[in-house]
Amino acid sequence: MKQIIAMGGGGFSMEPENKRLDHYILAQSKAEKPHICFIPTASGDSDGYIERFYNAFETENCVPDHLSLFSPPSNIEEFVKKQDIFYVGGGNTKNLLALWREWGLDLQLKKAYEEGKILAGLSAGSLCWFEEGVTDSFGPLRGLSCLGFLQGSHCPHYDGEEERRPAYHRLIKEGLNDGYAADDGAALHFINGKLNRVVSSRENAKAYYVQLINGEVIETVLETYFL
């Protein structure tokens, strides 16, 4: 079973006192004590971000670790094989993609995904799994081609940044693929490439399917389960 959990925002870095989404991610692993690997590439391996990850997960029933491409392990492939969950942090998506491709991490994560390892993340760590999406990685909000593990486009922080919704609508009118928008606190759980359910850590957080129909952008609110 192939799983991706794409959060519009939330988790330990945005909601340190609300662990609902992080607990949900851990619960999807069949491992008795899953190895969860934080990948902070998009933040330039921010020391503070890495420290917050360990503070959040060291008290949980898991084995936390992190993967740095600035101070990489001697054998990245072997390191990746040991993990059960990959949790990708936010930051600059364009830089994340460039570094992953340079190191071949994109291919290793694709293999891990196909072998049943769970991929998760927020913001850049959510956007990266789709064919394309909305980013501010290099100036004003614009479209960016991503990894394509999931079909369609994606827009995180849909309610968290007021310019996100109009930018996503504009880009879809200009040719961006139809796709999924997620509020901060909402997570899209895909199984085998298909949306299985939407969950949230906040009662009002939602996700949407956004598409172009007869020249107009239409939003469909997706049923969301508050955790």
Side-chain angles (χ1 to χ4, degrees):
M1 186 167 67
K2 300 185 293 185
Q3 298 188 75
I4 294 178
I5 302 169
M7 297 181 281
F12 74 90
S13 61
M14 292 184 68
E15 300 177 310
E17 304 305 318
N18 182 351
K19 290 191 170 185
R20 287 182 174 89
L21 290 179
D22 293 339
H23 287 165
Y24 181 80
I25 291 169
L26 288 172
Q28 306 317 305
S29 175
K30 293 181 180 179
E32 185 175 334
K33 191 170 185 178
H35 288 247
I36 181 167
C37 175
F38 182 49
I39 306 181
T41 315
S43 68
D45 283 2
S46 164
D47 289 337
Y49 205 178
I50 295 169
E51 182 179 0
R52 280 184 287 155
F53 166 74
Y54 282 108
N55 287 341
F57 284 92
E58 279 178 338
T59 57
E60 302 296 333
N61 182 43
C62 64
V63 181
D65 208 337
H66 76 281
L67 174 58
S68 169
L69 294 181
F70 294 87
S71 301
S74 57
N75 190 320
I76 294 179
E77 185 174 2
E78 288 302 315
F79 179 87
V80 167
K81 286 180 180 179
K82 295 177 182 178
Q83 311 304 320
D84 299 299
I85 303 169
F86 298 91
Y87 190 129
V88 182
N92 190 302
T93 314
K94 188 175 177 68
N95 287 348
L96 174 153
L97 293 168
L99 281 168
W100 283 11
R101 287 165 175 154
E102 178 66 26
W103 285 86
L105 183 58
D106 57 332
L107 301 178
Q108 293 186 43
L109 289 175
K110 182 67 177 299
K111 183 179 180 182
Y113 168 60
E114 291 173 345
E115 291 175 347
K117 307 297 180 71
I118 296 170
L119 306 181
L122 74 155
S123 191
S126 175
L127 172 60
C128 65
W129 311 120
F130 291 81
E131 289 179 311
E132 54 187 351
V134 182
T135 185
D136 58 1
S137 294
F138 49 112
L141 289 167
R142 65 187 71 186
L144 177 70
S145 295
C146 300
L147 295 173
F149 293 8
L150 296 172
Q151 292 183 343
S153 65
H154 177 50
C155 182
H157 305 304
Y158 207 49
D159 70 336
E161 300 172 6
E162 62 180 2
E163 66 273 20
R164 288 275 173 170
R165 180 178 258 111
Y168 195 31
H169 286 207
R170 171 180 56 81
L171 289 165
I172 285 179
K173 281 188 173 181
E174 292 174 356
L176 196 76
N177 287 334
D178 298 343
Y180 299 88
D183 291 343
D184 289 339
L188 301 148
H189 185 180
F190 291 84
I191 295 179
N192 297 330
K194 303 294 183 183
L195 183 64
N196 181 59
R197 69 191 311 216
V198 180
V199 297
S200 73
S201 59
R202 307 176 188 178
E203 290 193 54
N204 296 322
K206 297 186 180 302
Y208 309 81
Y209 189 70
V210 186
Q211 59 188 320
L212 191 66
I213 300 177
N214 297 325
E216 294 297 322
V217 176
I218 305 298
E219 287 185 355
T220 301
V221 180
L222 301 173
E223 185 176 8
T224 303
Y225 299 89
F226 175 60
L227 297 171

